[in-house]
């Protein structure tokens, strides 16, 4: 697990600032092909910023960050390559409200991957079936429940056939009864061998699917371990406090 | 359609006091009246053509000015800002005169009354369109750009398929208002001889000398035209909203 040769994502001493405020402090981390990483930590600790650097939604400043061996921050070409192999699911779904579900799914394949319309439609239908809402293809996002919307968002990402999927608190905006339908889809995706990085506080899900747990605080990776060690014998005090707080719920 | 009722009421009211009013000039039952009425109504063609051509151009120019104004590149923003400030500062009538009499001397090209009117109106309106587009585009949530980025859409595809369709829906009422404004401002092009509604009325006043009746007809012409356009815009708005909800 995580041998340098197979690392598909590699952070080496990555820094990031917002103005004078340092959000990421010398972050080093590697993700191996097919690995499932769960990142947790208090609000404002830099989790979102960290994963948003991977698909170029944020630009890192110091250190190096490479995705599939290509260094980011060296021109447009590297950014375009990185974002074409990385899918992302957001807390607020960010579906396109003026397009139907199937149109949401087909836009990327048709415009960015240049697939012919019919092929894109088949692809979209296949992924809709995979997230278990094949019958909602012609509805608008607002006509779906939150859980269904988030599953559409996952399918939209998968239609780009990414090799890495990023999830930024995908269930935080959902009503409790809809969380599991989204987590189940994510777990299935994990089983299929997708490389995944999930920011989430769903610790049940983390135990179930994670190969590696990462705990962040104040822009630093404080703890990085397999779930067994992470949950049973966390080393740092900060991580222990955090887990205690979160597992009470 | 209830809005048309007051117009009818005004008409009836006016016809009631036919002692002081010389409605014969536009009485469709007499030969001369019919000719005059026809003469006035033919101005409609140029009023509508001029306004629609000008607004089509100004929407495109407005968008092209708005987009650099939203970029992270400072010189582009400065360009956009400067354009809007300068164009907004010039009165439309002055712009019309300048384009018709000044521009040909400057460029060496002759320019027809119609195109001088179109250019002046479009130029003037483009600054307002740019502001409307800027506000509309800025009202779209950041998450929409992020989602488009995450599915590898290019900048132009992001604008074309994600941002603008949503922005245009939001600014539709404002664009409709601009069209109404344009229809009204097109009356100013009469000063350089454009044969639109106002010019026709002026010419008929000179030959018939019944300004009260003829300008009253002119008011009604604009009123009806603009009520129809407003109703059209509202219908379009409702249809687009229904599309979204259905
Ligand atoms: N665009 C920005 N400009 C300025 N500061 C920002 C920006 N984005 C994030 N920050 C700040 O950077 C810090 C880290 O933000 P980030 O969103 O990465 O945290 P997070 O761990 O994802 O938190 P949360 O659990 O609340 O989502 C926060 O203090 C936040 O206020
Ligand atoms: Mg976050």
């Amino acid at each position: 697990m995580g041998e340098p040769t197979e690392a598909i994502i590699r952070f080496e001493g990555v820094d990031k600032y917002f103005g004078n405020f340092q959000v990421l402090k010398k972050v080093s981390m590697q993700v191996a092909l097919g690995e499932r990483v769960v990142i947790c930590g208090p609000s404002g600790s830099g989790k979102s910023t960290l994963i948003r650097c991977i698909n170029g939604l944020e630009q890192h400043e110091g250190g190096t960050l490479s995705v599939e061996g290509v260094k980011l921050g060296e021109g447009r070409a590297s950014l375009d390559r990185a974002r074409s192999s990385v899918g992302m699911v957001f807390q607020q779904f960010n579906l396109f409200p003026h397009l139907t579900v199937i149109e949401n799914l087909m836009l990327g394949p048709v415009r960015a991957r240049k697939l012919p319309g019919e092929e894109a439609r088949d692809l979209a239908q296949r992924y809709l079936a995979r997230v278990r809402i094949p019958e909602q293809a012609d509805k608008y996002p607002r006509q779906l429940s939150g859980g269904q919307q988030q599953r559409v968002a996952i399918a939209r990402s998968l239609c780009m056939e990414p090799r890495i999927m990023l999830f930024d608190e995908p269930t935080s905006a959902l009503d409790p009864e809809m969380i599991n339908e989204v987590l189940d889809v994510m777990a299935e995706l994990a089983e299929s061998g997708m490389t995944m990085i999930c920011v989430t506080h769903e610790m049940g899900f983390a135990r179930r699917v994670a190969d590696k747990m990462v705990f962040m605080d104040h822009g630093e990776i404080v703890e990085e371990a397999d779930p067994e060690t992470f949950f049973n014998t966390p080393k740092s005090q900060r991580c222990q406090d955090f887990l205690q707080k979160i597992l009470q719920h | 359609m209830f809005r048309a009722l007051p117009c009818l009421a005004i008409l009836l009211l006016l016809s009631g006091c036919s002692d002081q009013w010389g409605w014969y000039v536009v009485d469709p039952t007499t030969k001369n009246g019919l000719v005059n009425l026809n003469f006035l109504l033919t101005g409609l063609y140029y009023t509508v053509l001029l306004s629609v051509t000008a607004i089509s151009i100004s929407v495109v120019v407005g968008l092209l000015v708005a987009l650099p104004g939203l970029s992270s590149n400072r010189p582009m923003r400065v360009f956009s800002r400067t354009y809007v400030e300068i164009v907004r500062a010039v009165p439309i009538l002055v712009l019309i005169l300048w384009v018709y009499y000044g521009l040909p001397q400057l460029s060496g090209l002759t320019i027809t009354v119609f195109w001088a009117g179109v250019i002046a109106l479009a130029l003037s309106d483009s600054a307002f369109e740019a502001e409307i587009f800027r506000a509309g585009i800025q009202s779209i949530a950041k998450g929409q750009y992020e989602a488009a980025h995450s599915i590898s859409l290019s900048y132009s595809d992001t604008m074309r398929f994600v941002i603008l369709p949503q922005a245009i829906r939001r600014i539709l009422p404002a664009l409709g208002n601009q069209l109404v404004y344009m229809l009204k401002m097109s009356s100013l092009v009469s000063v350089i001889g454009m044969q639109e509604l106002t010019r026709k009325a002026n010419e008929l006043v000179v030959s018939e000398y019944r300004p009260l009746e003829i300008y009253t007809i002119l008011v009604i012409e604009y009123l009806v035209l603009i009520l129809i356009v407003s109703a059209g815009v509202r219908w379009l708005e409702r249809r687009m909203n229904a599309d979204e909800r259905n």
Side-chain angles (χ1 to χ4, degrees):
Chain A
M1 199 178 69
E3 271 104 295
T5 46
E6 333 169 29
I8 188 167
I9 298 169
R10 188 182 306 211
F11 285 85
E12 280 165 21
V14 166
D15 292 320
K16 165 86 188 161
Y17 296 83
F18 284 122
N20 289 326
F21 178 68
Q22 188 166 10
V23 217
L24 297 180
K25 298 173 186 160
K26 296 255 167 295
V27 170
S28 294
M29 175 179 84
Q30 294 188 1
V31 179
L33 184 66
E35 198 174 18
R36 278 90 62 157
V37 180
V38 167
I39 303 178
C40 59
S43 179
S45 56
K47 308 178 298 292
S48 298
T49 309
L50 180 77
I51 67 168
R52 286 158 61 90
C53 284
I54 299 170
N55 70 344
L57 277 178
E58 305 286 357
Q59 271 97 45
H60 68 286
E61 280 142 6
T64 59
L65 165 56
S66 56
V67 176
E68 296 189 306
V70 179
K71 278 189 190 162
L72 292 187
E74 299 185 347
R76 267 217 80 79
S78 68
L79 173 67
D80 283 342
R81 256 195 65 178
R83 66 174 180 156
S84 74
S85 53
V86 179
M88 184 160 194
V89 174
F90 303 87
Q91 183 175 348
Q92 300 297 340
F93 328 139
N94 295 349
L95 292 175
F96 306 132
H98 59 299
L99 300 179
T100 61
V101 165
I102 194 96
E103 288 167 346
N104 265 274
L105 266 60
M106 288 169 64
L107 186 57
V110 170
R111 298 303 306 181
R113 296 179 62 203
K114 313 283 182 215
L115 292 189
E118 274 318 297
E119 206 173 310
R121 187 172 293 274
D122 290 346
L123 183 80
Q125 280 295 355
R126 206 158 64 237
Y127 280 111
L128 267 190
R130 202 161 144 190
V131 298
R132 306 203 196 92
I133 34 177
E135 72 286 354
Q136 311 286 13
D138 296 316
K139 290 205 177 152
Y140 284 88
R142 75 182 65 198
Q143 296 170 285
L144 305 183
S145 71
Q148 290 174 324
Q149 288 189 46
Q150 192 60 298
R151 285 185 282 152
V152 170
I154 293 172
R156 178 177 66 181
S157 275
L158 293 177
C159 281
M160 297 304 289
E161 314 218 292
R163 286 178 291 282
I164 300 162
M165 282 289 286
L166 308 175
F167 293 85
D168 193 356
E169 306 204 31
T171 57
S172 301
L174 295 177
D175 293 335
E177 72 272 19
M178 294 171 184
I179 291 178
N180 279 327
E181 61 188 63
V182 171
L183 292 180
D184 287 346
V185 165
M186 289 168 62
E188 234 172 69
L189 189 62
E191 268 159 44
S192 76
M194 177 70 77
T195 307
M196 288 167 60
I197 305 182
C198 313
V199 175
T200 180
H201 292 154
E202 294 294 331
M203 290 303 145
F205 169 80
R207 276 183 209 270
R208 188 147 58 111
V209 308
D211 297 313
K212 178 159 80 189
M213 294 296 303
V214 170
F215 172 73
M216 284 187 78
D217 195 14
H218 292 109
E220 294 171 311
I221 292 184
V222 176
E223 195 135 343
E224 188 176 342
D226 61 279
E228 185 69 20
T229 320
F230 184 83
F231 288 110
N232 297 334
T233 53
K235 287 194 290 278
S236 68
Q237 189 61 44
R238 279 192 277 179
C239 189
Q240 285 170 23
D241 292 347
F242 177 77
L243 284 176
Q244 199 171 26
K245 228 185 289 169
I246 209 161
L247 291 174
Q248 272 169 1
H249 293 296
Chain B
M1 268 304 99
F2 286 111
R3 279 156 189 268
L5 287 179
C7 309
L8 273 179
I10 291 169
L11 258 181
L12 287 173
L13 200 71
L14 295 179
S15 61
C17 17
S18 48
D19 292 352
Q20 305 136 44
W21 294 64
W23 280 113
Y24 66 88
V25 275
V26 289
D27 183 352
T29 58
T30 68
K31 186 157 172 285
N32 192 43
L34 195 62
V35 168
N36 284 346
L37 203 56
N38 254 329
F39 180 79
L40 288 175
L41 284 173
T42 49
L44 199 60
Y45 173 74
Y46 276 121
T47 291
V48 171
L49 190 66
L50 191 70
S51 303
V52 170
T53 313
I55 204 158
S56 309
I57 295 172
S58 74
V59 162
V60 175
V61 175
L63 182 59
L64 292 179
V65 172
L67 288 177
L70 293 161
S71 106
S72 52
N73 181 316
R74 208 183 123 77
M76 298 238 265
R77 285 204 310 273
V78 169
F79 156 77
S80 178
R81 206 58 260 149
T82 311
Y83 179 94
V84 169
E85 291 300 332
I86 290 178
V87 171
R88 260 202 320 206
V90 184
I92 297 186
L93 184 55
V94 174
L95 210 52
I96 291 169
L97 295 173
W98 187 84
V99 169
Y100 187 58
Y101 296 108
L103 197 58
Q105 271 190 32
L106 197 69
S107 64
L109 299 169
T110 52
I111 191 164
T112 64
V113 170
F114 178 78
W115 284 106
V118 166
I119 291 170
L121 289 181
L123 205 60
S124 160
D125 189 55
S126 65
F128 295 92
E129 301 289 347
E131 289 295 275
I132 291 170
F133 270 112
R134 191 174 58 83
I137 292 170
Q138 275 176 337
S139 77
I140 305 299
K142 219 172 98 229
Q144 294 288 304
Y145 291 92
E146 296 182 349
H149 173 98
S150 78
I151 56 167
S152 289
L153 293 189
S154 64
Y155 169 79
S156 57
D157 281 353
T158 301
M159 281 297 158
R160 184 168 152 209
F161 295 104
V162 178
I163 305 302
L164 287 178
Q166 297 183 63
I168 286 172
R169 245 164 259 237
R170 290 191 195 175
I171 66 180
L172 208 60
L175 291 183
N177 283 342
Q178 280 312 111
L179 178 57
V180 166
Y181 185 70
M182 187 71 99
L183 285 166
K184 292 196 277 187
M185 288 308 134
S186 69
S187 64
L188 292 173
V189 187
S190 63
V191 299
I192 55 171
M194 184 78 230
Q195 295 287 316
E196 43 66 71
L197 288 175
T198 305
R199 177 73 179 202
K200 293 277 186 185
N202 280 337
E203 288 183 359
L204 197 63
V205 167
V206 169
S207 61
E208 293 283 354
Y209 204 69
R210 299 274 356 164
L212 181 55
E213 294 75 11
I214 293 168
Y215 286 139
T216 303
I217 294 284
L218 183 62
V219 168
I220 293 168
E221 282 176 314
Y222 279 114
L223 207 58
V224 170
L225 181 61
I226 280 157
L227 289 178
I228 290 172
V229 170
S230 302
V233 171
R234 270 199 308 279
W235 174 81
L236 198 66
E237 239 178 281
R238 265 201 311 277
R239 222 196 62 172
M240 286 185 113
N241 286 338
D243 254 14
E244 231 171 285
R245 277 187 221 106
N246 73 349

